[in-house]
Amino acid sequence: MTNDFPQTLTIAGTDSGGGAGIAADLKTMQMRHVFATMVVVAVTAQNTLGVQDAFPMPTKMIDEQFASLAADLNIRACKTGMLADAEHVKAIVRNLKKYDFGPLTVDPVMIAKGGAPLLSEDAISVVRDELVPLADLVTPNLPEAEKLTGMTITTEDEMVTAGKKLQALGAKNVLVKGGHFNSADEANDFALLADGKSFWMTAPRVDTHNTHGTGDTISACITAERAKGHTMEEAIRTGKAYVEATIRDGINVGHGHGPLNHWAKIKEDD
Ligand SMILES: Nc1ncnc2c1ncn2[C@@H]1O[C@H](COP(=O)(O)OP(=O)(O)OP(=O)(O)O)[C@@H](O)[C@H]1O
Ligand SMILES: Cc1ncc(COP(=O)(O)O)c(N)n1
């Protein structure tokens, strides 16, 4: 029996509010026509107003979820999101070294939009030293890029320097996301590829509070495109176009930072 439909994996935390984390990843992967699987690292009680509580899974359950997937699925690309703490990052690294689940996108999630920590401080150096070197792509936002590189990033030139530093840490490809950049009219991201090619992706900044799960969505879309066999550059450009559409064609859910419209269409879908 063939087992060749494109299959992906997200290793992350749940969001009971449905907007971010594993929920955003699964919705994105479904929309991009790949089969989505998950390893639940932590459960959060969360809504558009914030994170009310978080509970990391016992690491034995994490090992068991990895083993279940490896025994049956044919996963071609994977990503990480919320990883909770150093013990859990180490468990994920151990499993990623044990099984081949294809190119890995590391979204180094640290703090939720509302300010709640999703990764403990002592885990940041473990992400930097043990997880980033396994990454085919790392996709930090600006505060995450600052934590991983030790730099302050206030200009586009500094985003470029941070990209180079992240590549020097061992990530093959880097996408520094400018969603948090202090610009009123643009949300521009910088990509640096394994072969040294680099490019900016520019987009008009949408004036909205409904940006819960943007980082999850772009990294899940890239993971889906990689599973379908697209190049890194194609995957990154599709990711940007998709997340832009999900923000621009927004929906209103909840009373805080609302979720995205994962049904949004992009040009290549026509
Ligand atoms: N208001 C906006 N309008 C258009 N694009 C945006 C906006 N906010 C973020 N983006 C884009 O969304 C993507 C995710 O960027 P961002 O820097 O917000 O990531 P993130 O902080 O990791 O997301 P999250 O907060 O979900 O973890 C990037 O491509 C960024 O440029
Ligand atoms: C479980 C989980 N994973 C990731 C995020 C980041 O998303 P955001 O920064 O948009 O809150 C989140 N809030 N919750």
Side-chain angles (χ1 to χ4, degrees), residues 13-15 20-21 44 46 82 109 111-113 118 211-214 216:
T14 66
D15 169 5
T44 72
Q46 184 174 175
M82 173 190 179
V109 171
I111 296 174
K113 284 254 151 58
L118 300 176
T211 56
H212 184 46
T214 50
D216 312 286

Side-chain angles (χ1 to χ4, degrees), residues 107-121:
D107 182 16
V109 171
M110 293 180 191
I111 296 174
K113 284 254 151 58
L118 300 176
L119 185 75
S120 62
E121 271 299 314

Side-chain angles (χ1 to χ4, degrees), residues 10 17-18 33 47 71 79 81 83 149 152-154 163 181 192 197 223 231 235 237 242-243 246 249 267:
T10 172
H33 299 281
N47 55 26
K79 64 155 280 189
L83 299 181
T149 61
T152 304
I153 307 173
T154 54
F181 203 76
L192 177 58
K197 181 176 177 183
T223 305
T231 66
R237 288 190 187 279
Y242 180 64
V243 76
T246 63
D249 302 336
K267 221 167 167 195

